[in-house]
Amino acid sequence: MRIDIISCVPQLLESPFQHSILKRAQQKGLVEIHIHNLRDYASDKYKSVDDYAFGHEAGMVLKIEPIAKCLRSLQSQRKYDEIIYTSPDGETFDQKSANRLSLLQNIIILCGHYKGVDERVREHFITKEISIGDYVLSGGELAAAVIADAVIRLIPGVLSDETSALTDSFQDGLIAPPVYTRPADFEGMKVPEILLSGHTAKISAWNLEQSIKRTKERRPALYEKIKHHLSH
Ligand code: ADE
């Protein structure tokens, strides 16, 4: 998979892809991430990428020219399956959206800007608008990093234990059960006995029971959606 991210503050995207799982995914050749500085596509001598909004008192808006130039340059090199724009008024991102995106070959993520982007970009270039939640960030970069992270870890081979994405919270509509590590007894706070028993079938049953209990208690709306699929 190839992900191109277009931003006017590319420095914000440096660290998230240089460590841990996302770094290894690139080293293994499972994903290519290319960050593009919108400023490199600005044509005026000030390299400006934003301008005042028509008809508004305040607030800067990302201009169409540098974005069009950058997108066209990328599109002349390969076909993109989606051109995503990060915005609080987009479709809310969830595990299902991450699963769908992880099946694509090439995607572009255009990072939004505080006051937004010239509407003509959204109308003519963008194929999908994504919000990572009902709150406003100062730019789309952190949202782009969140989306890319959630998608990349689902690409087969990215996680060393192939099953671990399958047991993630939300993957089966349930949130994950509690986990413990050594010591089994910390100052009298004990790990549930069953997990120390070595009885795999019983442990799996306990984990499922805990997942269901947690989902019911913590995410009642999620529980309502999936309860018909549970055998209990
Ligand atoms: N840009 C600003 N706020 C955002 C949000 N909640 N999701 C995606 N992009 C954003």
Side-chain angles (χ1 to χ4, degrees):
M1 181 179 204
R2 176 181 167 122
I3 306 177
D4 289 90
I5 306 181
I6 306 170
S7 159
C8 53
V9 203
Q11 297 85 346
L12 282 173
L13 289 160
E14 276 166 18
S15 176
F17 301 110
Q18 283 171 14
H19 307 278
S20 183
I21 291 172
L22 302 189
K23 178 184 178 182
R24 260 178 282 134
Q26 293 171 85
Q27 285 171 339
K28 287 193 209 164
L30 298 169
V31 66
E32 265 183 56
I33 298 162
H34 298 266
I35 315 256
H36 307 274
N37 187 346
L38 199 51
R39 239 164 257 286
D40 294 341
Y41 296 85
S43 46
D44 63 325
K45 65 176 176 182
Y46 305 106
K47 296 267 167 221
S48 65
V49 292
D50 54 8
D51 206 340
Y52 294 99
F54 281 125
H56 281 273
E57 307 257 305
M60 302 296 276
V61 172
L62 288 180
K63 289 152 67 78
I64 191 167
E65 295 105 315
I67 294 172
K69 198 168 165 193
C70 182
L71 289 175
R72 284 176 177 149
S73 153
L74 290 172
Q75 285 175 309
S76 71
Q77 296 165 60
R78 67 197 63 75
K79 190 182 163 343
Y80 284 91
D81 304 304
E82 290 288 6
I83 302 178
I84 297 163
Y85 173 61
T86 57
S87 165
D89 57 12
E91 183 186 307
T92 309
F93 190 64
D94 63 9
Q95 194 63 31
K96 206 192 270 173
S97 340
N99 284 332
R100 278 201 211 108
L101 291 178
S102 75
L103 302 173
L104 304 180
Q105 253 339 288
N106 301 313
I107 63 172
I108 293 175
I109 308 179
L110 170 65
C111 299
H113 189 62
Y114 179 55
K115 275 289 164 202
V117 65
D118 189 304
E119 189 63 20
R120 291 166 292 184
V121 170
R122 301 173 77 157
E123 285 169 5
H124 299 283
F125 292 94
I126 299 301
T127 61
K128 191 185 256 319
E129 303 187 334
I130 297 181
S131 161
I132 62 159
D134 287 345
Y135 41 81
V136 179
L137 302 167
S138 41
E141 285 75 14
L142 297 179
V146 165
I147 296 164
D149 183 310
V151 169
I152 293 166
R153 62 195 302 288
L154 295 173
I155 299 171
V158 167
L159 298 181
S160 47
D161 176 7
E162 283 272 307
T163 61
S164 68
L166 298 175
T167 56
D168 278 351
S169 281
F170 308 114
Q171 214 42 273
D172 53 5
L174 292 169
I175 56 175
V179 290
Y180 301 86
T181 186
R182 286 180 288 185
D185 184 339
F186 174 70
E187 297 174 0
M189 297 174 237
K190 295 204 174 97
V191 169
E193 206 64 50
I194 181 90
L195 297 178
L196 312 173
S197 70
H199 197 302
T200 352
K202 278 192 186 156
I203 293 175
S204 297
W206 184 85
N207 280 333
L208 178 62
E209 192 186 296
Q210 292 296 312
S211 276
I212 295 170
K213 183 166 171 269
R214 286 210 155 179
T215 310
K216 202 170 174 179
E217 283 167 9
R218 301 177 185 204
R219 301 294 302 270
L222 208 58
Y223 179 75
E224 285 305 310
K225 259 203 247 169
I226 56 113
K227 71 173 182 197
H228 317 286
H229 301 292
L230 301 169
S231 47
H232 304 237

